[in-house]
Amino acid sequence: MPSSVKAILKPSMRDIGSLTVRRVLPALAARLVGPFIFFDHMGPARYAPGPGVDVRPHPHIGLATVTYLFEGAMLHRDSVGSVQKITPGDVNWMTAGRGIVHSERTPDEARARGQVLHGIQTWVALPLADEDAEPAFEHHAAATLPQLERNGVALTVIAGSAFGAQAPTRTFSPTLYVAASFSPDGAVALEPEHEERGVYLVDGDLAIDGEPLAATHMAVLVPGETVTLSSRAGATVMLLGGAPLEGERFIDWNFVASSREKIASAKQAWAAQTMGKVPGETEWIPLPERPSH
């Protein structure tokens, strides 16, 4: 492990119904990287015509969900009335705040023809001042996100700031979130603009200061150091992080909060079905008997 790497996080496989994901955060060695408290790598999963992903309405508090796809499409619906299809290169940012309910399903046209689904879903924990923010949703098409090129590396700034660019996505604290596509022999310097930084190798080969990183693993970097990321044959990489949050965060099922009391209240509200409804949907996921993560 190079001196610029503080920890290597290995994924664990999780079955979330019609999809298996590689879960990297939270981990024992790093519960959060900046505000990122949850990191799932979905797929690539191939669906024949007919079946698809059907994540029934479920709740969140205290976080924002961020969806970014490499392949396939998903349809998002939520209790603030949003209905939005996401396709590769777009970003869906849903602020749960005091409470939101949403579903995620395969769009009808993709279900009819079948598709490959591949992407990253993350949770960003909200600062204390914004934990109870009004729920909201925003979608940014791929063409509206900053696109940069550095030494054979194509960089898309999904949220926050990086490489001198600022994404239009709303954030609540200093945030680093970038998709990087390395051409063969591409290399880029990642400067210590953000205090906490993680590097996740989706596929291909990547070296950090000359030391290889295994695919589907995340390197948590030492603060304050510029590191060189390079690829011999090409790679897809996610860069994430930002400023650390104040205080501890608890995770219970789909809820993130600074206190167990907030989570207990959210559980009661969900059990009573008073957190909101997704228009046009009647199904919902009940509270699990035991926390799923």
Side-chain angles (χ1 to χ4, degrees):
M1 185 186 303
S3 61
S4 53
V5 173
K6 183 166 64 172
I8 300 291
L9 309 184
K10 300 178 180 180
S12 61
M13 302 302 290
R14 299 296 181 94
D15 186 346
I16 57 172
S18 51
L19 188 62
T20 299
V21 301
R22 296 175 183 86
R23 184 157 299 161
V24 184
L25 288 175
L28 287 176
R31 279 183 57 78
L32 294 92
V33 178
F36 288 85
I37 196 167
F38 201 75
F39 187 101
D40 273 1
H41 178 185
M42 310 181 294
R46 183 173 299 278
Y47 293 89
V53 174
D54 283 295
V55 181
R56 295 168 291 157
H58 59 282
H60 293 285
I61 64 164
L63 57 89
T65 66
V66 191
T67 303
Y68 186 83
L69 298 181
F70 306 114
E71 293 182 85
M74 294 278 283
L75 184 67
H76 165 97
R77 292 189 179 95
D78 64 38
S79 54
V80 299
S82 314
V83 179
Q84 179 64 56
K85 183 171 78 169
I86 183 172
T87 57
D90 303 343
V91 58
N92 276 3
W93 178 288
M94 184 184 76
T95 301
R98 59 177 173 78
I100 199 168
V101 181
H102 76 131
S103 68
E104 295 170 292
R105 300 182 186 273
T106 300
D108 289 344
E109 64 275 15
R111 195 182 298 269
R113 68 172 181 266
Q115 70 167 354
V116 174
L117 183 66
H118 188 202
I120 305 289
Q121 285 198 312
T122 60
W123 292 357
V124 175
L126 299 179
L128 293 176
D130 300 297
E131 270 195 303
D132 297 319
E134 285 296 306
F137 175 83
E138 58 184 64
H139 170 86
H140 296 281
T144 68
L145 300 175
Q147 313 276 339
L148 312 168
E149 199 278 336
R150 297 281 193 279
N151 305 314
V153 184
L155 302 160
T156 298
V157 185
I158 299 169
S161 60
F163 303 100
Q166 178 77 41
T169 318
R170 181 188 186 191
T171 54
F172 293 84
S173 62
T175 301
L176 165 70
Y177 199 28
V178 173
S181 178
F182 285 71
S183 299
D185 297 320
V188 69
L190 180 60
E191 297 180 351
E193 172 188 356
H194 296 278
E195 183 175 346
E196 296 187 355
R197 297 164 297 163
V199 178
Y200 180 76
L201 178 55
V202 177
D203 54 40
D205 72 87
L206 185 76
I208 301 175
D209 289 342
E211 292 290 329
L213 176 66
T216 71
H217 287 52
M218 182 183 294
V220 180
L221 303 182
V222 171
E225 293 191 20
T226 296
V227 300
T228 299
L229 308 177
S230 59
S231 179
R232 295 189 314 276
T236 303
V237 177
M238 304 299 284
L239 312 176
L240 66 151
L245 293 178
E246 357 69 321
E248 188 175 3
R249 291 299 185 278
F250 300 98
I251 304 180
D252 192 331
W253 192 41
N254 294 315
F255 305 129
V256 168
S258 60
S259 72
R260 297 194 186 280
E261 290 75 19
K262 283 182 179 289
I263 289 176
S265 295
K267 285 183 171 183
Q268 290 174 357
W270 182 243
Q273 282 294 283
T274 58
M275 286 188 70
K277 306 282 188 182
V278 177
E281 300 219 24
T282 57
E283 296 181 298
W284 54 287
I285 300 176
L287 283 169
E289 293 183 9
R290 296 173 58 186
S292 57
H293 53 261

